[in-house]
Amino acid sequence: MKDIRLMKGNEAIAEGVIRAGCDGYFGYPITPQSEVLEYLMMNKPEERTGMIVLQAESEIASIHMVYGGAGCGKRVMTSSSSPGISLMQEGISFLAGTELPCLLLNVVRGGPGLGTIQPSQSDYFQAVKGGGHGDYKMIVLAPASVQEMYDFAKLGFELAFKHRIQVMVLSDGAIGQMMEKVELDEQVPRLTDEEIAIKYPWATLGKPTTRERNIITSLDLDPVKQEKINIHLQEKFRHIEQTEVRFESFMCEDAEYLFVAYGSSARVCQKAIQLGRAKGIKVGLLRPITLFPYPTQEIARLSKQVKGILSVEMSAGQMVEDVRLAANGAVPVEHYGRLGGIIPAPDEVLNVLEEKFIAKNNHGRSAN
Amino acid sequence: MEDQLTKEFICQPENLVYERTHLLTENALSYCPGCGHGTAHRLLMEVIEEMGLQENTIGVAPVGCSVLAYDFMNIDMQQAAHGRAPAVATGIKRLFPNKTVFTYQGDGDLAAIGTGETIHACNRGENITVIFVNNGIYGMTGGQMAPTTLPGMKTATSPFGRDTKSMGYPLKITELVAQLGGTYYVTRQSVHTPANVRKAKKAIEKAISYQKLDKGLCFVEIVSNCNSGWKMTPLDSNVWMEENMFPFYPLGDIKVPK
Ligand SMILES: Cc1ncc(C[n+]2csc(CCOP(=O)(O)OP(=O)(O)O)c2C)c(N)n1
Ligand code: SF4
């Protein structure tokens, strides 16, 4: 029988990491994601699988605890929301420089500053372009449902260890807080210490006489060597761009107009498409699931098919830059978003599409 | 008899009285000649070797002059961001409670930027060992004022002497962590004379062996010189340390197991 439950997004990913064989969670409370730590504490994963859960004294401590655990080849994670993720950036950069796999969850809230606890998508640049210092990338997964919050726990760890990279699940307050049905899968067993030693020969587990010592460091004072390390990292990111792009297309086959949106905004756009199609407007949705690597080629292909692209994001316009780069001038690209924690309504989004592209085509001028 | 006193004759296994620990690598130390860091490294590695813990130990290096500790210590190591070594060590130890885990940190690392991680790792009673080298200055970045810089002491960022009115007081972090419920053994040592070296080694031995008891964090401060940062010869720096540092940072155990 299927194990189906009604869960909050934050609870679903917490259950997801336990079942994905996570070894350790380190985190600090912040709205709108405190349910992750609360759920883990309540569900006693130490008794279920041996997974360790620790409430740290800050997000800075959390991310460096993750670093310590990841350096030992363990499946470790932290979660937070925007201000906390900002605090972690130095640590994330260290994880990138040492190529340590881990899972990070950002349930985004509106900023800047303390901002609001309501949902937002204004951390796209920070997640996708590298919020910390140095040339690095993380794999960024954008869930649009509670089921995906659950699924991306396992997928996230798989990708993290496959590429020795940090995987960030970039969610938002709406996906984190809303309840939907979730289909749970089987428990993945945690790796034993012997399995870790074999699978991850780089891990610091104590130096046996049979190998050289393992060192986890991002430091190399010799610029020639440091450049080599950086080139290696860039090659890895290019390889990920070739192999790990994920997206979902919705009613794109005959589309004359295209929404590009992820997470909560993608759900709004799906509804807007229904309203638009009812009015005879042929509009589709391209939903990036990976924000890095970005579905650039698919957007480039669609930009030759459609007459206009509207990038919808609860921000002042961050992802739109990547949509424009992908379209590369082939078609007009516009942005629409609400700020401060407001989720746009489907008819509002459709109106914008009509105003920006359709009214313009009909009257030969902008309707603005 | 006399012509038998050749190098070959003297260097026979049965004549061996002292040997460099195999847990120090062959790499030349990057420390300034006369600096206490090298001695502290040696003691720590001797203890780990003598206790047979090489295969079981994971060390955490700080940011500071000892950032490259992993070049010299022949064990598995992680290099932590500035001040975060206690958090990194917490992550390791929580996931591997049976391993021996230590941090090796300077005063800027441990008592300025990393104060939060230090206090909370101590307060949670993490079963790790902290080796804290207090030289009253930021050695690596060129001799700036540290949280432990003495009143009136001249550094690159207190060129007219530390003025406590505007720059605050030196932080006795070791006395502070001794107050916390999570620390088990807290001591202050030095490595500038053979007698002190022996005492410091004993303290490190205790601090490492107590990890097995699961009773909390063990904290070993080593008051040390920074002859380069203090702009003194190594010998003068040790005299200055005795005359100025020790009165403020008195040597000895601060918290011992009941
Ligand atoms: C986040 C961050 N801030 C500042 C620095 C620069 N920095 C490197 S070492 C150091 C001070 C180290 O002093 P201490 O911990 O006393 O060690 P020592 O060099 O004296 O052994 C500073 C400020 C850094 N590397 N990272
Ligand atoms: S700068 Fe100071 S602490 Fe650093 S190696 Fe030289 S003497 Fe030692």
Side-chain angles (χ1 to χ4, degrees):
Chain A
M1 216 185 70
K2 280 183 183 169
D3 189 355
I4 295 176
R5 294 192 204 165
L6 185 66
M7 298 181 106
K8 274 189 176 189
N10 289 334
E11 296 168 345
I13 194 163
E15 181 61 34
V17 297
I18 299 174
R19 292 191 185 222
C22 180
D23 297 300
Y25 171 96
F26 306 93
Y28 187 81
I30 182 171
T31 308
Q33 64 78 52
S34 297
E35 293 85 356
V36 179
L37 176 56
E38 289 169 6
Y39 183 94
L40 289 173
M41 286 296 188
M42 185 61 99
N43 281 272
K44 299 190 174 159
E46 194 161 2
E47 287 174 16
R48 278 171 62 182
T49 67
M51 173 184 168
I52 298 296
V53 185
L54 180 64
Q55 178 169 339
E57 67 270 30
S58 70
E59 291 86 351
I60 298 179
S62 308
I63 194 72
H64 294 282
M65 290 172 182
V66 164
Y67 179 94
C72 298
K74 293 279 188 180
R75 295 187 154 210
V76 284
M77 71 167 301
T78 184
S79 67
S80 188
S81 179
S82 311
I85 299 288
S86 293
L87 265 182
M88 291 182 193
Q89 292 303 324
E90 187 199 15
I92 294 174
S93 174
F94 269 63
L95 286 155
T98 47
E99 298 189 84
L100 292 183
C102 64
L103 186 68
L104 313 169
L105 167 66
N106 184 359
V107 183
V108 180
R109 59 191 250 178
L114 209 44
T116 164
I117 58 171
Q118 303 300 329
S120 177
Q121 295 180 311
S122 46
D123 296 353
Y124 178 91
F125 281 155
Q126 187 195 54
V128 170
K129 308 292 177 187
H133 59 285
D135 275 326
Y136 76 92
K137 294 280 183 189
M138 300 185 283
I139 292 179
V140 182
L141 300 173
S145 65
V146 175
Q147 182 70 51
E148 281 189 340
M149 285 287 269
Y150 175 83
D151 292 341
F152 289 179
K154 193 160 144 194
L155 174 65
F157 276 124
E158 278 167 13
L159 293 173
F161 278 87
K162 180 171 170 195
H163 298 287
R164 276 191 73 174
I165 196 169
Q166 309 71 54
V167 174
M168 176 174 276
V169 176
L170 190 72
S171 186
D172 64 63
I175 305 282
Q177 291 294 326
M178 73 186 178
M179 294 187 91
E180 283 182 327
K181 80 171 182 354
V182 192
E183 190 180 329
L184 307 180
D185 52 9
E186 295 294 304
Q187 175 69 48
V188 176
R190 290 176 51 237
L191 294 184
T192 63
D193 295 353
E194 293 69 35
E195 286 170 330
I196 290 175
I198 294 165
K199 280 185 97 153
Y200 312 125
W202 45 265
T204 53
L205 301 167
K207 180 198 170 306
T209 43
T210 47
R211 67 156 165 80
E212 289 297 298
R213 68 190 188 286
N214 281 341
I215 299 166
I216 303 290
T217 182
S218 54
L219 174 73
D220 207 314
L221 294 169
D222 175 351
V224 176
K225 288 193 195 148
Q226 188 57 257
E227 185 181 50
K228 280 208 179 100
I229 294 167
N230 271 280
I231 289 171
H232 159 73
L233 289 178
Q234 293 306 315
E235 283 168 358
K236 178 167 87 175
F237 303 144
R238 298 295 86 77
H239 173 69
I240 289 169
E241 283 175 333
Q242 300 301 315
T243 54
E244 299 295 358
V245 174
R246 285 172 168 76
F247 59 84
E248 184 186 42
S249 313
F250 181 70
M251 306 198 99
C252 285
E253 298 76 26
D254 64 342
E256 292 178 359
Y257 302 94
L258 184 70
F259 289 125
V260 179
Y262 63 93
S264 290
S265 293
R267 295 171 71 114
V268 174
C269 288
Q270 279 199 352
K271 189 76 192 156
I273 287 170
Q274 283 176 11
L275 301 177
R277 293 258 168 184
K279 283 167 102 177
I281 301 169
K282 288 187 176 167
V283 55
L285 167 69
L286 188 282
R287 175 171 80 91
I289 293 173
T290 49
L291 299 179
F292 179 81
Y294 198 71
T296 305
Q297 284 178 11
E298 183 61 11
I299 293 176
R301 191 184 71 75
L302 287 166
S303 68
K304 305 211 168 66
Q305 171 190 320
V306 299
K307 295 180 200 159
I309 300 180
L310 185 64
S311 173
V312 181
E313 186 185 47
M314 294 183 290
S315 77
Q318 300 191 15
M319 182 184 70
V320 65
E321 294 191 1
D322 287 332
V323 182
R324 286 206 175 104
L325 281 172
N328 202 13
V331 68
V333 175
E334 299 282 354
H335 161 77
Y336 183 68
R338 298 295 299 267
L339 311 175
I342 296 174
I343 304 177
D347 58 341
E348 182 183 344
V349 170
L350 183 66
N351 282 344
V352 174
L353 181 87
E354 289 184 79
E355 271 171 32
K356 298 247 187 209
F357 300 117
I358 301 169
K360 198 171 175 176
N361 287 347
N362 288 349
H363 309 303
R365 63 180 175 82
S366 168
N368 290 336
Chain B
M1 181 69 196
E2 241 164 49
D3 39 285
Q4 283 189 346
L5 284 181
T6 57
K7 192 176 159 214
E8 289 67 33
F9 178 77
I10 296 168
C11 296
Q12 307 228 10
E14 60 270 25
N15 292 341
L16 188 72
V17 286
Y18 180 78
E19 193 183 22
R20 189 169 173 274
T21 166
H22 299 292
L23 264 57
L24 283 176
T25 63
E26 295 297 322
N27 296 332
L29 291 174
S30 53
Y31 302 108
C32 307
C35 171
H37 271 305
T39 313
H41 278 29
R42 173 171 67 78
L43 294 187
L44 181 57
M45 287 303 102
E46 280 179 1
V47 168
I48 305 247
E49 182 176 38
E50 286 159 19
M51 294 175 75
L53 290 173
Q54 181 185 24
E55 296 200 18
N56 194 47
T57 301
I58 301 154
V60 183
V63 174
C65 279
S66 46
V67 64
L68 288 173
Y70 55 76
D71 269 358
F72 314 123
M73 300 185 181
N74 194 13
I75 54 170
D76 278 4
M77 287 196 76
Q78 297 193 17
Q79 197 288 310
H82 196 20
R84 314 306 169 202
V88 172
T90 298
I92 300 170
K93 186 74 181 187
R94 289 284 175 136
L95 293 162
F96 286 105
N98 297 327
K99 305 269 178 194
T100 302
V101 180
F102 70 82
T103 71
Y104 183 104
Q105 303 175 257
D107 44 86
D109 194 80
L110 181 139
I113 193 166
T115 313
E117 284 75 14
T118 302
I119 288 186
H120 285 280
C122 287
N123 197 49
R124 282 192 304 268
E126 298 295 341
N127 282 299
I128 59 172
T129 301
V130 172
I131 307 291
F132 166 39
V133 178
N134 175 10
N135 56 19
I137 207 163
Y138 285 8
M140 186 191 210
T141 38
Q144 295 84 4
M145 184 177 69
T148 46
T149 297
L150 297 177
M153 188 172 158
K154 287 186 179 156
T155 71
T157 50
S158 57
F160 308 106
R162 181 176 190 159
D163 171 12
T164 52
K165 202 151 188 282
S166 62
M167 298 165 177
Y169 294 87
L171 183 60
K172 292 191 178 181
I173 189 110
T174 307
E175 276 81 353
L176 204 154
V177 300
Q179 302 302 313
L180 304 174
T183 48
Y184 186 60
Y185 171 57
V186 179
T187 186
R188 182 182 284 124
Q189 303 290 331
S190 89
V191 293
H192 72 303
T193 69
N196 288 98
V197 165
R198 277 198 293 277
K199 281 190 203 159
K201 186 170 171 184
K202 281 252 148 39
I204 294 172
E205 260 164 23
K206 282 190 200 167
I208 296 283
S209 59
Y210 288 154
Q211 270 201 41
K212 296 219 167 44
L213 303 179
D214 238 22
K215 290 268 171 82
L217 190 143
C218 294
F219 193 100
V220 182
E221 172 176 345
I222 297 172
V223 181
S224 189
N225 62 341
C226 172
N227 39 288
S228 294
W230 297 356
K231 307 208 184 319
M232 294 175 194
T233 66
L235 284 178
D236 287 351
S237 73
N238 282 338
V239 174
W240 191 88
M241 180 168 71
E242 285 181 351
E243 289 173 355
N244 298 276
M245 296 283 278
F246 292 172
F248 194 85
Y249 300 113
L251 304 187
D253 288 344
I254 299 171
K255 185 179 192 176
V256 289
K258 290 195 189 78

